[in-house]
Amino acid sequence: MQHFLDANVRCLFIQITGLLDLPQAKEYARRARLDPRYENDFDVLTDISFCELKMEGNDLRAFADFMNKNWPTQGKIKGAILLQGQFAHGMARMYDAYTHHRVNRPAFFHREKPDLYKEICSYFGFPTDYQLPEFLDAK
């Protein structure tokens, strides 16, 4: 797991690779929010396109409850998930439903999309010359 917090654009960027199960998801959430500049109204972009999901519906619900309890948002935030495949897309939509829709217009970006960088910047309202963290490699 890698993460980068950009307080200037109020966004937390996270990339997860390898196996992802419930205990790891909780640990990654804790680690990504250790930066004292993190605030609960920051937008979040999570890249799960290079991980193998080992979570079921009950795991997603438990993780959503964990997030709602530990990092409740101050109003709706923008949240996006960068993913590959229909299974990951379905899991991401299910997770969104379990978080009580704390994200305003959640976005699900498929890594193979040709204008990925442009769509991400547009969704979050980043300047057109904004540089995403290098580990996201979304160009």
Side-chain angles (χ1 to χ4, degrees):
M1 190 272 289
Q2 299 181 68
H3 67 281
F4 175 74
L5 181 106
D6 187 336
N8 292 326
V9 295
R10 304 189 64 74
C11 191
L12 174 62
F13 300 90
I14 303 167
Q15 183 183 58
I16 301 168
T17 58
L19 183 70
L20 181 62
D21 60 12
L22 179 59
Q24 286 176 312
K26 288 180 175 181
E27 176 58 27
Y28 294 160
R30 278 189 208 96
R31 271 200 275 161
R33 287 161 178 80
L34 285 175
D35 189 315
R37 298 173 302 155
Y38 174 78
E39 297 179 21
N40 285 347
D41 64 344
F42 277 24
D43 297 329
V44 180
L45 172 62
T46 305
D47 179 0
I48 61 168
S49 58
F50 299 111
C51 76
E52 179 184 351
L53 296 172
K54 290 291 185 185
M55 298 175 83
E56 297 179 0
N58 290 339
D59 297 324
L60 289 174
R61 182 181 295 278
F63 184 58
D65 290 344
F66 173 80
M67 293 299 293
N68 290 335
K69 177 183 175 193
N70 291 289
W71 295 283
T73 58
Q74 298 170 8
K76 297 240 181 193
I77 64 170
K78 289 183 183 176
I81 299 179
L82 183 56
L83 47 82
Q84 287 191 62
Q86 293 305 313
F87 176 73
H89 186 105
M91 296 293 277
R93 291 188 68 78
M94 188 183 311
Y95 172 75
D96 175 57
Y98 291 149
T99 60
H100 307 294
H101 305 287
R102 56 194 251 170
V103 172
N104 184 27
R105 294 183 312 112
F108 306 102
F109 296 109
H110 290 259
R111 183 162 280 284
E112 59 274 3
K113 205 142 191 208
D115 291 331
L116 181 60
Y117 171 79
K118 189 180 192 180
E119 287 190 28
I120 289 172
C121 288
S122 175
Y123 172 76
F124 284 103
F126 297 151
T128 55
D129 61 346
Y130 184 76
Q131 296 295 310
L132 291 172
E134 191 173 302
F135 63 79
L136 290 177
D137 187 33
K139 285 209 176 204

